[in-house]
Amino acid sequence: MPGGRLSQQERQQIALGLADSLPYAEIARRLDRPTSTVTREVMRNGGPTAYRADLAHRATERRAHRRRPASSRGPGAVPQPHGRDPEAVAEYEETLTTVFMQSGTPKMMARVLACLCISDAASLGASELVQRLQVSPASVSKAVAFLEEQGLVRRERDERRRERYFVDDDVWYQSMVASARGTAQVAETARQGVAVLGPRTPAANRLENIARFLDFVSESITRAAEQAREVLHARPAPTSDDTGRPSPDDTGRPSHDDE
């Protein structure tokens, strides 16, 4: 059984197997690899419906580059709080970046967005992003401008007048609403073509159907975002470690909501 990392050709075979709806075990048998290797490869790189061989291969190369000995690491190496495994965090960040790229976000923008998402504070300054991602300030500035335009990032100035970039709870709601507005604009433009091309012509019928479909999608997205908005502000459910321990309320006293 071959060892070592998967080759690009093997990743292409995995993608073909997923396209044919083959189970992981069958794909692994054809590659002469353990099933766990194929399962981990797919889940680390977007899952069975979003797996892309080329993106997965590039993500693995980046992870391998990051795993050089600690003594040779540059200033981009970030100590991890809460006892986290630095390698596991780096791998997850690469996976999240890849998923953002698969959804259409350009590479640099996807890297910045992933970096902000995994920050406990959900905010970083330009110099912190430059250090963590090992890129130029101009690249960070361009990426933030793009993400801000998409409604995915907001910026504020701290007490020293330095800009900080945030991915907070409501950003995802605002982004979804902005997406719905964009979809509605496409629907309106499609409907304008009906009058130009003439009612009941094949092209006009096509545009009218597009407009009706996009209207429905836009309205559904907006309605769902409104209904689910409070989920973004929900407090995490208690874990097993919290069982039997009352949590303090805003005054520092134990909460007795269950009494």
Side-chain angles (χ1 to χ4, degrees):
M1 182 175 294
R5 298 192 184 96
L6 290 166
S7 67
Q8 190 162 16
Q9 183 178 8
E10 287 176 311
R11 289 190 167 91
Q12 290 169 348
Q13 290 179 270
I14 290 174
L16 290 173
L18 293 172
D20 290 338
S21 301
L22 296 179
Y24 295 151
E26 176 60 22
I27 297 174
R29 187 188 66 77
R30 295 185 180 189
L31 294 176
D32 196 20
R33 292 274 193 172
T35 301
S36 60
T37 297
V38 174
T39 303
R40 185 167 56 251
E41 165 70 13
V42 174
M43 298 312 296
R44 179 182 288 176
N45 294 288
T49 60
Y51 183 82
R52 286 270 305 277
D54 52 346
L55 291 178
H57 195 70
R58 288 201 294 270
T60 301
E61 289 179 338
R62 290 196 298 271
R63 284 194 292 267
H65 180 70
R66 287 189 174 191
R67 288 174 184 166
R68 59 190 183 274
S71 60
S72 65
R73 291 195 178 196
V78 180
Q80 291 298 322
H82 307 295
R84 293 168 180 152
D85 178 354
E87 183 173 310
V89 173
E91 287 186 359
Y92 175 72
E93 184 174 352
E94 293 292 351
T95 299
L96 188 59
T97 298
T98 301
V99 170
F100 286 150
M101 290 170 63
Q102 289 169 340
S103 69
T105 305
K107 178 181 176 180
M108 190 66 243
M109 292 65 174
R111 293 188 67 198
V112 170
L113 184 58
C115 192
L116 287 168
C117 282
I118 67 171
S119 167
D120 284 317
S123 75
L124 293 170
S127 61
E128 293 171 300
L129 287 168
V130 166
Q131 182 182 33
R132 293 188 184 208
L133 299 176
Q134 293 292 280
V135 296
S136 68
S139 296
V140 168
S141 178
K142 182 178 179 180
V144 168
F146 173 88
L147 293 169
E148 188 176 31
E149 183 179 339
Q150 300 298 312
L152 292 169
V153 167
R154 66 178 176 85
R155 65 177 83 200
E156 290 183 1
R157 290 189 181 275
D158 61 19
E159 64 280 359
R160 299 178 63 180
R161 305 298 297 165
R162 295 176 303 188
E163 284 191 343
R164 293 192 68 80
Y165 311 120
F166 290 78
V167 176
D168 55 14
D169 294 336
D170 228 37
V171 157
W172 297 103
Y173 166 79
Q174 297 295 344
S175 174
M176 195 64 64
V177 170
S179 174
R181 283 198 298 266
T183 301
Q185 181 63 47
V186 175
E188 177 59 27
T189 304
R191 188 164 283 113
Q192 291 171 5
V194 174
V196 175
L197 298 171
R200 292 182 294 279
T201 63
N205 288 342
R206 185 182 307 114
L207 288 173
E208 177 60 31
N209 289 339
I210 290 171
R212 290 172 57 198
F213 171 78
L214 294 179
D215 275 340
F216 179 84
V217 170
S218 176
E219 292 169 4
S220 298
I221 290 174
T222 302
R223 183 166 55 251
E226 291 288 353
Q227 292 173 344
R229 188 175 188 179
E230 64 183 34
V231 173
L232 291 168
H233 304 279
R235 297 179 64 179
T239 64
S240 57
D241 293 338
D242 297 327
T243 305
R245 274 190 318 196
S247 57
D249 60 17
D250 292 339
T251 63
R253 295 190 301 267
S255 173
H256 301 287
D257 293 339
D258 295 333
E259 292 182 357

